[in-house]
Amino acid sequence: MLTVALDDDLKRLRDDLVKEGFRVVDRTMADHADALIISGMEKNFMNMQDIRTEKKVIDASGKSVREIADELRGLM
């Protein structure tokens, strides 16, 4: 089971991602996750992300839960 860390702004997606078969943790547990889902607010004016990690980062802005889940399944 893939573990994903969810940005605080996206907690509304938690139940849907669990239904899709993912284990969801808070962003504070990102070290223990396979991927990080962000809201897109982390991008600065040059469209660069402020997050530095070796993990897969998925920008959820403008995406449905199904699109996010499909991206996550691509990691499996």
Side-chain angles (χ1 to χ4, degrees):
M1 178 182 292
L2 200 64
T3 300
V4 296
L6 197 58
D7 198 17
D8 291 338
D9 295 341
L10 298 172
K11 289 189 180 202
R12 59 182 163 51
L13 301 178
R14 176 183 293 273
D15 291 340
D16 291 330
L17 289 169
V18 169
K19 287 177 188 172
E20 290 282 343
F22 302 102
R23 181 171 175 256
V24 181
V25 297
D26 293 326
R27 186 171 174 179
T28 59
M29 300 293 292
D31 289 344
H32 305 286
D34 301 301
L36 176 61
I37 302 173
I38 62 169
S39 65
M41 296 301 294
E42 288 83 0
K43 289 185 177 179
N44 65 22
F45 71 96
M46 293 179 66
N47 203 30
M48 296 174 63
Q49 294 185 0
D50 294 331
I51 296 172
R52 289 179 176 82
T53 182
E54 296 293 320
K55 305 200 184 289
K56 171 71 175 173
V57 177
I58 296 174
D59 182 354
S61 58
K63 294 180 183 170
S64 68
V65 172
R66 178 155 307 225
E67 291 171 315
I68 295 167
D70 287 346
E71 277 192 59
L72 290 168
R73 285 190 189 95
L75 300 177
M76 299 171 107

